[in-house]
Amino acid sequence: MIITVTMNPAIDKTVEIDALVQGGLNRIKKVEYDAGGKGINVSKTICELGGHTIATGFLGGNNGRTIASVLKEKGIESDFIWVDGETRTNTKVFEENGALTELNEPGPTITEDKIEELMKKLLGYAGIDSLFVLSGSIPAGVPKDTYARIIRAVHEKGSKVLLDADGELFRQGLEAGPDIIKPNRVELEEYADMDYRASEEELLKIAKKFTEKGVGTIAVSMGKSGAMFVLKETTAKCPALSVKAHSTVGAGDAMVAALAYSWDEKLPEEEMIRLSMAVSAGAVTTIGTKPPAKELVDTLKEQVIIEKM
């Protein structure tokens, strides 16, 4: 069972324009709306792959009701904590030349009693057959050690955790020993206090050190440079697949979804790598945060090159 936790969901509004004019008039050519937030994006992708998740976290107001309705229409089970205030809207401005500008709202402030309500709900799902996906930002009122606290609590019940976060959330969460992580290049550089673009050798060295903290599966996404995987039996690099990119939004969430789905389906390591690369490549071909079709993913899997390291 996969439980995705989205503490700061959003209505994703993607607008397409010719070119952004700062301080001037911008005419929108196309608008797309979708239920978003990193964990929700993971649930949508797993659903497209044929898997099942339970999406939880915090929702509020009309936007929250819209997200709950969209998930129900897509056949995605949800079990959110309802809070005062309005779930945010994130606006993504996509230009014809491929440039992307994101305007993310902060979201509602979460009270301590709602945090405890969510913790109780998560522990109700915890067990040896459960994988919790903790991804994305946290809203105001939620302490930065919350992911670490969740990891320790569900581990006590035998659950596994996939962590996809940055900054202090990632740093503190890592100390709690998540089972799977998917940092990107920038997040690793920030973690290691690097003020320059790290080489692939340096990134691999950092990733391997995470195994000392008990992390069994590490996927490092590197954008156009592909991805690296440090697994129990395999260390490999995969070049990025050649696809017609529309937007890189959601590519990281798609890879997280593939990692979670692979765990749930108990796929072999090589199959997990192929699926992770194919799903993330397929995601950049879609509009907004929509997941790639399974047919496209199956085609892309055949194109994945795995270079053992």
Side-chain angles (χ1 to χ4, degrees):
M1 178 169 60
I2 303 171
I3 302 96
T4 63
V5 183
T6 311
M7 295 201 178
N8 215 2
I11 296 290
D12 280 335
K13 178 181 179 182
T14 304
V15 302
E16 296 186 13
I17 60 176
D18 289 327
L20 183 64
V21 180
Q22 295 186 16
L25 175 66
N26 291 274
R27 298 193 182 279
I28 296 172
K29 298 193 297 183
K30 188 174 183 180
V31 182
E32 291 279 343
Y33 292 90
D34 204 355
K38 293 180 75 63
I40 288 175
N41 292 340
V42 170
S43 282
K44 291 189 299 184
T45 303
I46 291 174
C47 180
E48 184 65 32
L49 291 173
H52 173 261
T53 70
I54 299 171
T56 187
F58 301 115
L59 287 179
N62 289 330
N63 280 353
R65 284 186 283 274
T66 298
I67 288 174
S69 177
V70 168
L71 293 179
K72 185 176 181 180
E73 290 174 4
K74 293 179 181 293
I76 297 171
E77 184 177 350
S78 66
D79 190 10
F80 283 87
I81 301 295
W82 289 88
V83 300
D84 294 332
E86 188 72 41
T87 292
R88 60 190 182 147
T89 296
N90 288 345
T91 304
K92 306 173 191 304
V93 183
F94 185 72
E95 300 177 58
E96 198 172 67
N97 65 1
L100 175 70
T101 301
E102 298 190 62
L103 306 172
N104 290 354
E105 297 178 7
T109 298
I110 309 301
T111 58
E112 187 175 341
D113 63 313
K114 292 297 182 181
I115 297 172
E116 293 308 312
E117 190 177 342
L118 178 63
M119 286 294 300
K120 183 177 180 180
K121 186 181 292 292
L122 297 181
L123 287 175
Y125 286 116
I128 58 174
D129 295 324
S130 297
L131 172 70
F132 289 84
V133 178
L134 308 179
S135 56
S137 64
I138 55 174
V142 178
K144 292 187 182 297
D145 67 347
T146 297
Y147 282 168
R149 182 185 171 199
I150 293 172
I151 292 169
R152 293 188 178 101
V154 300
H155 269 173
E156 288 185 2
K157 290 200 169 188
S159 296
K160 303 297 185 183
V161 179
L162 193 166
L163 177 66
D164 179 28
D166 61 7
E168 196 61 23
L169 282 173
F170 177 68
R171 193 177 297 274
Q172 292 199 37
L174 191 62
E175 292 305 313
D179 304 276
I180 307 170
I181 60 174
K182 193 223 64 69
N184 60 33
R185 175 190 288 275
V186 174
E187 289 163 355
L188 281 191
E189 290 168 348
E190 181 184 43
Y191 174 82
D193 295 322
M194 294 177 171
D195 57 0
Y196 60 92
R197 183 179 174 85
S199 67
E200 291 182 4
E201 290 75 16
E202 288 173 309
L203 294 176
L204 181 60
K205 185 177 180 180
I206 297 169
K208 284 185 173 180
K209 285 185 177 180
F210 293 148
T211 61
E212 299 170 6
K213 298 181 181 293
V215 186
T217 298
I218 303 155
V220 181
S221 54
M222 302 184 296
K224 293 180 179 179
S225 297
M228 288 190 296
F229 298 85
V230 179
L231 312 176
K232 291 180 180 179
E233 299 178 4
T234 308
T235 299
K237 175 191 172 185
C238 298
L241 297 180
S242 179
V243 295
K244 185 178 180 181
H246 187 277
S247 169
T248 58
V249 173
D253 299 337
M255 183 172 283
V256 169
L259 293 169
Y261 177 85
S262 297
W263 177 90
D264 199 44
E265 295 292 320
K266 299 178 174 57
L267 299 182
E269 288 185 353
E270 183 172 315
E271 178 66 12
M272 181 186 71
I273 292 173
R274 290 188 181 280
L275 184 65
S276 298
M277 294 301 298
V279 173
S280 58
V284 306
T285 69
T286 67
I287 298 173
T289 55
K290 290 181 171 53
K294 189 175 185 303
E295 294 76 15
L296 174 60
V297 172
D298 289 340
T299 298
L300 292 173
K301 278 168 57 177
E302 302 302 318
Q303 302 174 24
V304 174
I305 298 173
I306 300 176
E307 302 171 354
K308 298 292 179 66
M309 302 175 73

